[in-house]
Amino acid sequence: MDGVALPCHESAGLFVSGADTYCEKEMIMRVFVAGGAGALGRRLVPRLVARGHQVTATTTSTSRLGLLEQLGAEAVVMDGLDAAMVGEVVAKARPEVIVHQMTAISVTHAGKADMKHMDRWFAGTNRLRTEGTDHLLAAAEATGVPHFVAQGYGAWNGIREGGWVKTEQDGLDPMTGTPAEPGMAALGHVEDAVVKAGGAVLRYGWFYGPGAMDDLVEPVRKRQFPVVGSGAGHCSWVHLDDAASATVLAVEKKARGVFNIVDDEPAPASEWLPYLAACAGAKRPMRVPAWLARPLAGDVTVVMMTEGRGFSSAKAKRELGWKLRYPSWRQGFREELA
C-alpha cells in the first residue's frame, strides 16, 4: 500500500504539507527524479525528501552533484539519451516511482530564448521527451517500477478551437507548419507513451518563480516583449512551488492519466504582460501588429499572443486534492518581484 494516503495512528510520525496530512510509515517510497537539477527539480527534490522519501536524482553534469546532495538526494550523473546508462542507473536505484523532469532548454548564443526558431531551441528537449521517455519507460519495465510521472506542458498550446480554456479532454495544438510542431509532437509522444504505461503526465503551465523569472523579466524591462496584435491569446501560469506540490501528490497518490497543473486565472497577453511589466518596474509594453511581429518574432509568438488557449486545473484539484499557494499569477508576480 505504499504511496496511498491513509488515516494516521497516534504512534505514527506525520508529514504535513498544506492541508494534507499523511502517515510517515505508509508514505515512504524510493523516488527516482530524472532531471533533478532543473528549475522544477530543485523545488521538487527537497519536498520529497522532507516528506521522508528516499530520493535518487540525476543530472548530466558532475558540477551539479553537490547541489543535489545538498537538497537531500543521492546524486547520480545520467545521460537520458543513453539507453544503457539509463537502464543501469535505474536498476541500481531500485525506485518505486520514476519522475521524468529531463529537459535541455537552453538559450541561444545571444543569451535569449528563441521562440522564432523553437525547433532549434527545443531540439534537445524534444529528444528527451521522445527517446528519453522511451528509455526511462523501458528501464521501468525491466526493473519492475510500478509508477511513472512525467513532465508535460499546457500553457498557451491548447487546441485552437472553441473557448479560451481547455481541459484534459482537449488535445494540444499540433502547431502544424510552425517551428513549434516538433515540440508539440514530442509532448504528444510523452502523453501517449506514459498514459499507455499506466502513468501520469502533468501538463505544467508556464513556470515562474525562483530560477525562472530572469529570462522572463529581462526582455520585459528592455521593452523587447511587446503585446502582439489583439493580445487576446490566453496563457496559463504556475508557480514552481505549486508545480512541485502537485508533483508530490501525483507521486504519492499514484496518479494515472493527464492532469493540467496551472493556476486559476488563464489570461490574455493583453492583461498578464502589462501587469508583469508593472511588477518589474518596467515601462508598459509596446503594442506591435501581427503582420510586423511575424517576420521579427516568428509564427509561434504571434499564435501565442493572439490565438493561444489556456487550461483548467479542475481535474487536478478534484482527483489529487491539489491546493494552490498562488491561485493567480497576479499574486505570484507581485511577490516574486517585490
Side-chain angles (χ1 to χ4, degrees):
M1 297 182 69
D2 289 341
V4 180
L6 297 175
C8 294
H9 301 289
E10 290 182 4
S11 60
L14 302 182
F15 287 106
V16 181
S17 176
D20 298 319
T21 304
Y22 300 98
C23 293
E24 175 181 0
K25 182 178 179 181
E26 301 295 345
M27 289 305 303
I28 292 177
M29 289 186 286
R30 294 187 301 276
V31 183
F32 185 93
V33 181
L40 179 55
R42 292 195 299 268
R43 312 302 288 184
L44 172 62
V45 168
R47 282 174 175 264
L48 290 168
V49 171
R51 293 182 67 78
H53 302 303
Q54 299 170 12
V55 180
T56 299
T58 77
T59 175
T60 58
S61 173
T62 56
S63 65
R64 292 187 173 183
L65 290 174
L67 168 65
L68 291 176
E69 290 170 353
Q70 290 174 10
L71 296 178
E74 179 178 349
V76 183
V77 171
M78 186 186 80
D79 179 357
L81 299 178
D82 184 329
M85 181 183 288
V86 172
E88 291 172 5
V89 172
V90 170
K92 184 177 181 180
R94 298 182 301 109
E96 293 160 278
V97 56
I98 290 175
V99 183
H100 177 5
Q101 297 289 347
M102 297 187 298
T103 66
I105 301 172
S106 60
V107 296
T108 66
H109 65 278
K112 299 177 182 178
D114 192 0
M115 294 286 285
K116 186 175 182 180
H117 304 104
M118 204 168 179
D119 49 345
R120 301 180 205 165
W121 182 29
F122 271 76
T125 294
N126 292 343
R127 289 191 65 194
L128 288 169
R129 286 176 173 163
T130 51
E131 299 168 50
T133 297
D134 291 347
H135 296 336
L136 283 171
L137 286 171
E141 183 176 7
T143 55
V145 180
H147 191 217
F148 197 101
V149 177
Q151 177 181 134
Y153 184 70
W156 49 267
N157 55 321
I159 193 75
R160 284 176 285 159
E161 299 173 355
W164 292 107
V165 182
K166 302 301 177 183
T167 71
E168 290 81 359
Q169 294 180 332
D170 297 302
L172 301 178
D173 193 325
M175 296 296 290
T176 305
T178 75
E181 184 175 358
M184 296 305 113
L187 288 168
H189 178 84
V190 173
E191 293 191 3
D192 292 343
V194 173
V195 172
K196 183 178 180 181
V201 178
L202 308 183
R203 288 179 180 169
Y204 301 113
W206 195 337
F207 287 148
Y208 72 95
M213 294 299 291
D214 290 346
D215 291 341
L216 179 64
V217 171
E218 183 181 357
V220 171
R221 286 181 171 145
K222 293 180 178 179
R223 303 198 81 192
Q224 296 173 344
F225 200 153
V227 176
V228 175
S230 64
H234 278 52
C235 180
S236 286
W237 296 86
V238 67
H239 191 283
L240 284 166
D241 286 340
D242 282 326
S245 71
T247 309
V248 171
L249 288 169
V251 166
E252 293 180 344
K253 298 198 172 188
K254 297 188 176 180
R256 296 173 180 266
V258 176
F259 295 84
N260 297 334
I261 305 301
V262 297
D263 73 15
D264 294 340
E265 194 177 356
S270 59
E271 289 187 21
W272 66 257
L273 187 49
Y275 186 87
L276 176 61
C279 290
K283 293 182 179 179
R284 189 173 181 83
M286 295 184 289
R287 296 192 77 105
V288 175
W291 65 264
L292 180 58
R294 187 168 281 108
L296 296 174
D299 291 335
V300 178
T301 298
V302 173
V303 168
M304 178 184 75
M305 287 276 186
T306 62
E307 302 180 64
R309 262 54 171 184
F311 293 83
S312 165
S313 62
K315 179 182 176 182
K317 294 176 181 177
R318 182 176 66 250
E319 296 189 13
L320 301 180
W322 183 45
K323 297 183 179 181
L324 287 149
R325 178 181 176 185
Y326 298 95
S328 170
W329 46 268
R330 296 179 192 274
Q331 171 196 0
F333 288 177
R334 185 174 63 249
E335 291 189 15
E336 287 297 325
L337 296 171

